[in-house]
Amino acid sequence: MAYNNSRNPLRSLQKRLNDSIIIRLKDGTEYKGKLKEYDNFMNVILTDASEFINKEETGKFEEIFVRGNNVLFIIPDAE
Amino acid sequence: MAYNNSRNPLRSLQKRLNDSIIIRLKDGTEYKGKLKEYDNFMNVILTDASEFINKEETGKFEEIFVRGNNVLFIIPDAE
Amino acid sequence: MAYNNSRNPLRSLQKRLNDSIIIRLKDGTEYKGKLKEYDNFMNVILTDASEFINKEETGKFEEIFVRGNNVLFIIPDAE
Amino acid sequence: MAYNNSRNPLRSLQKRLNDSIIIRLKDGTEYKGKLKEYDNFMNVILTDASEFINKEETGKFEEIFVRGNNVLFIIPDAE
Amino acid sequence: MAYNNSRNPLRSLQKRLNDSIIIRLKDGTEYKGKLKEYDNFMNVILTDASEFINKEETGKFEEIFVRGNNVLFIIPDAE
Amino acid sequence: MAYNNSRNPLRSLQKRLNDSIIIRLKDGTEYKGKLKEYDNFMNVILTDASEFINKEETGKFEEIFVRGNNVLFIIPDAE
Amino acid sequence: MAYNNSRNPLRSLQKRLNDSIIIRLKDGTEYKGKLKEYDNFMNVILTDASEFINKEETGKFEEIFVRGNNVLFIIPDAE
């Protein structure tokens, strides 16, 4: 299906490159880190990332490649 | 699959740009905010958004990028 | 996959435009309203719509955009 | 993916047009009615249709549009 | 995605046409019958088919059209 | 989506043709047998195959066609 | 859908070839091993791999082919 929509929300991620963002997955897990890369399928790479389960930090990753089809939403890190 | 339908419900979202809308996800969570962007896959960006779980406000986001395949429905914010 | 089937059930929705229809989702929720738009993915827009859970009315929407992949079936509103 | 298989089970539905058939969905619900239309995605329209849950009739529909990705199997109505 | 693999397991079903085969679905239900048709999506038509749930015969069908995305595996009927 | 990746893990299955391999499905069931065929969707045909549920052998098949979208992983049979 | 994103997170896996990485699946199972191959669908081959369930090692594999659609995330092995 041609991605011919004049509007392209994914392009807004372009402006967030190197910003700190938060990704929430469908199972509620959250990953906070610097947005290094993304693609049309919302596959995302974060660097200096932390994992949060029920708001508690449960892991730190130098770099993490999150597969897009698990993503619920992405927000800029307000802190 | 060519998106050759003369009718295009997604185009109706075009008229809702900058309006306040409500997105309900499959798990019942709702996001209310200003429609900034959308695409063919119903990936949506809202600004000045609030999250509601069981009608109770549980979060505020300057901007939120919701992945389309979690969306159940979208309605204009009647308030 | 080319949608080259001479028969096209979706075309029958064309005749239902502006008719009152009922959409049942996979989770059993039903939406009754006037069919305003639809597309190949069974994304549907209803106007003057009501939501029913277990046959009880639980919501009214000026307009609702229902995402196709949640749809179980569509029937004309017999009333 | 090109639908280039010389064999085409969906074509056998062609011979069943206007016959009474039974559709069983993944959740076990069955719909019996006259096959009016179908397409490559097994979206099906039945007319004069009845709904059965656990073999008990639970609904009658002048016309019903069943979305293909819920379908488990289709059989000719032996009665 | 082009189905350009020199090897084509589905072609081996070609040799099984008119043989008795057994289809197991993801939910464990099995269908035994003569393979009449199949396609790239593993949509399959069996004739003179029987349904088995927990190894107990629970139905007989003159012809059954099983939708491919429910299929777990297919084996030749050893009996 | 063009499968234009210079690297092609599926090609490594090519070297495993006629070797004994083990397929684990998402539900934990395992199938051990000789790799006869496979395709881009990881549809796989094994011959002289055995089924294992919780490490206990629960079935033997002259030939089994396993549908790719149920596959969790494939390993060479170390024995 | 053309994979026409200038940014390509999967390319970053290219730099990880022959590095030790950890793959977490949606069900929480983890596989640690040397990245030998990957493709656009995140199908991945690891060599000298170990399986971990709830942080406990539960298996060792000379080579393992993990199907992409089960993957939650990939991280470099920090050890």
Side-chain angles (χ1 to χ4, degrees):
Chain A
M1 190 172 77
Y3 197 78
N4 57 18
N5 181 285
S6 62
R7 304 202 154 277
N8 178 346
L10 280 165
R11 245 187 350 206
S12 83
L13 285 184
Q14 190 86 19
K15 285 170 289 172
R16 298 284 174 196
L17 283 170
N18 298 313
D19 286 357
S20 179
I21 66 168
I22 297 170
I23 300 173
R24 185 182 295 176
L25 303 189
K26 295 178 185 179
D27 66 3
T29 309
E30 292 190 350
Y31 295 92
K32 178 156 78 167
K34 203 155 52 156
L35 176 60
K36 187 182 160 199
E37 295 251 18
Y38 69 92
D39 66 16
N40 286 0
F41 301 99
M42 283 179 82
N43 292 318
V44 172
I45 294 182
L46 301 180
T47 53
D48 309 324
S50 303
E51 175 186 74
F52 296 87
I53 297 178
N54 300 325
K55 305 294 177 197
E56 203 201 309
E57 185 171 302
T58 47
K60 274 194 172 301
F61 310 106
E62 172 213 328
E63 181 179 280
I64 185 168
F65 183 123
V66 179
R67 193 160 184 278
N69 79 344
N70 305 295
V71 172
L72 184 66
F73 66 62
I74 296 177
I75 52 175
D77 175 14
E79 288 161 21
Chain B
M1 190 173 78
Y3 198 79
N4 57 16
N5 180 286
S6 63
R7 304 203 154 276
N8 178 346
L10 280 165
R11 246 187 350 206
S12 84
L13 285 183
Q14 190 86 18
K15 287 170 288 173
R16 299 284 174 196
L17 284 171
N18 299 313
D19 286 356
S20 179
I21 66 168
I22 296 170
I23 301 172
R24 185 182 295 175
L25 303 189
K26 295 178 185 179
D27 65 4
T29 309
E30 293 190 349
Y31 295 92
K32 179 158 78 168
K34 201 154 53 157
L35 175 60
K36 187 182 160 197
E37 295 252 18
Y38 70 92
D39 66 17
N40 286 0
F41 301 99
M42 283 179 80
N43 293 318
V44 172
I45 295 182
L46 301 179
T47 54
D48 309 325
S50 303
E51 176 186 75
F52 296 86
I53 297 179
N54 300 326
K55 306 293 179 199
E56 205 202 306
E57 185 171 302
T58 47
K60 274 194 172 301
F61 310 106
E62 171 213 327
E63 181 179 278
I64 185 168
F65 183 123
V66 179
R67 194 160 184 276
N69 78 345
N70 305 296
V71 172
L72 184 67
F73 66 62
I74 295 177
I75 53 175
D77 176 14
E79 288 161 22
Chain C
M1 191 172 80
Y3 197 78
N4 57 17
N5 181 285
S6 63
R7 303 204 152 276
N8 179 345
L10 280 165
R11 244 187 352 208
S12 83
L13 285 184
Q14 189 86 18
K15 287 170 288 173
R16 298 284 174 196
L17 284 170
N18 299 314
D19 286 356
S20 179
I21 65 168
I22 296 170
I23 301 172
R24 185 182 296 176
L25 303 189
K26 294 178 186 179
D27 66 4
T29 310
E30 293 190 350
Y31 296 92
K32 180 157 77 169
K34 203 154 60 156
L35 175 60
K36 187 182 160 198
E37 296 251 17
Y38 69 93
D39 66 16
N40 286 359
F41 301 99
M42 283 179 81
N43 293 318
V44 171
I45 295 183
L46 301 179
T47 54
D48 310 325
S50 303
E51 175 186 74
F52 296 86
I53 297 178
N54 299 326
K55 305 293 178 198
E56 205 203 307
E57 186 170 301
T58 47
K60 275 195 171 300
F61 310 106
E62 171 213 328
E63 181 179 280
I64 185 168
F65 183 123
V66 179
R67 194 159 184 277
N69 77 345
N70 305 296
V71 172
L72 185 67
F73 66 62
I74 295 177
I75 53 175
D77 175 13
E79 288 160 24
Chain D
M1 191 172 77
Y3 197 78
N4 57 18
N5 182 285
S6 62
R7 301 201 156 278
N8 179 344
L10 280 165
R11 245 187 351 208
S12 83
L13 285 183
Q14 190 86 18
K15 287 170 288 174
R16 300 284 175 197
L17 283 170
N18 299 312
D19 286 356
S20 179
I21 66 168
I22 296 170
I23 300 172
R24 185 183 295 176
L25 303 189
K26 294 178 186 180
D27 65 4
T29 310
E30 293 190 349
Y31 295 92
K32 179 157 76 168
K34 203 153 62 156
L35 176 59
K36 187 182 159 199
E37 296 252 17
Y38 69 93
D39 66 15
N40 286 359
F41 301 99
M42 283 179 81
N43 293 318
V44 171
I45 294 183
L46 301 180
T47 54
D48 310 325
S50 303
E51 175 186 74
F52 295 88
I53 296 177
N54 299 325
K55 306 293 178 198
E56 205 202 307
E57 185 169 302
T58 47
K60 274 196 170 301
F61 310 107
E62 171 213 327
E63 181 179 281
I64 185 168
F65 183 122
V66 180
R67 194 160 184 278
N69 78 345
N70 306 295
V71 172
L72 184 66
F73 66 62
I74 296 177
I75 53 175
D77 175 14
E79 287 160 22
Chain E
M1 192 172 79
Y3 196 77
N4 57 18
N5 182 285
S6 62
R7 301 201 155 277
N8 179 345
L10 280 165
R11 246 189 350 211
S12 83
L13 286 182
Q14 191 86 18
K15 286 171 289 173
R16 299 284 175 196
L17 284 171
N18 299 312
D19 286 356
S20 179
I21 65 168
I22 296 170
I23 300 172
R24 186 182 295 176
L25 304 190
K26 294 178 186 177
D27 66 4
T29 309
E30 292 190 349
Y31 295 92
K32 179 157 78 169
K34 204 154 58 158
L35 176 59
K36 187 182 159 199
E37 295 252 18
Y38 69 91
D39 67 16
N40 286 359
F41 301 99
M42 283 179 81
N43 294 318
V44 172
I45 295 183
L46 301 179
T47 53
D48 309 325
S50 303
E51 176 186 73
F52 295 87
I53 296 177
N54 298 325
K55 305 293 179 199
E56 207 201 304
E57 185 170 301
T58 47
K60 273 195 173 301
F61 310 107
E62 171 212 326
E63 180 179 282
I64 185 168
F65 184 124
V66 179
R67 193 160 184 278
N69 78 345
N70 306 296
V71 172
L72 184 66
F73 65 63
I74 295 178
I75 53 174
D77 175 13
E79 287 161 23
Chain F
M1 191 173 79
Y3 197 77
N4 57 18
N5 180 286
S6 61
R7 302 202 154 277
N8 179 344
L10 281 165
R11 245 187 351 208
S12 84
L13 287 182
Q14 189 86 17
K15 286 171 289 173
R16 299 283 174 196
L17 284 170
N18 298 313
D19 286 357
S20 179
I21 65 167
I22 296 170
I23 301 172
R24 185 181 296 176
L25 304 189
K26 294 178 186 178
D27 66 3
T29 309
E30 292 190 350
Y31 296 92
K32 179 156 77 168
K34 202 153 62 157
L35 176 60
K36 187 183 160 199
E37 295 253 18
Y38 70 92
D39 66 16
N40 286 359
F41 301 100
M42 282 179 82
N43 293 318
V44 172
I45 295 182
L46 301 180
T47 54
D48 309 325
S50 303
E51 176 186 75
F52 296 87
I53 297 178
N54 299 326
K55 306 293 179 197
E56 206 202 307
E57 185 170 301
T58 47
K60 273 194 173 300
F61 310 106
E62 171 214 327
E63 180 179 281
I64 185 168
F65 183 124
V66 178
R67 194 160 184 279
N69 79 344
N70 306 296
V71 172
L72 185 67
F73 66 61
I74 295 177
I75 52 174
D77 175 14
E79 287 161 21
Chain G
M1 191 172 78
Y3 197 77
N4 56 19
N5 181 285
S6 61
R7 303 202 152 277
N8 179 345
L10 280 166
R11 243 186 354 205
S12 84
L13 286 183
Q14 190 86 17
K15 286 170 288 172
R16 299 284 174 195
L17 283 170
N18 298 313
D19 286 356
S20 180
I21 66 167
I22 297 171
I23 300 172
R24 185 181 296 176
L25 304 189
K26 294 178 186 180
D27 66 3
T29 309
E30 292 190 350
Y31 295 92
K32 179 156 77 167
K34 203 152 60 155
L35 175 60
K36 187 181 160 201
E37 295 252 18
Y38 69 92
D39 65 17
N40 287 359
F41 302 99
M42 283 179 81
N43 293 318
V44 171
I45 294 182
L46 302 180
T47 54
D48 309 325
S50 303
E51 175 186 73
F52 296 87
I53 297 178
N54 299 327
K55 305 294 177 197
E56 204 201 309
E57 185 170 303
T58 47
K60 273 195 173 301
F61 310 106
E62 172 213 327
E63 181 179 281
I64 186 168
F65 183 123
V66 179
R67 194 160 184 279
N69 79 344
N70 306 295
V71 172
L72 185 66
F73 66 62
I74 295 177
I75 52 174
D77 175 14
E79 288 160 22

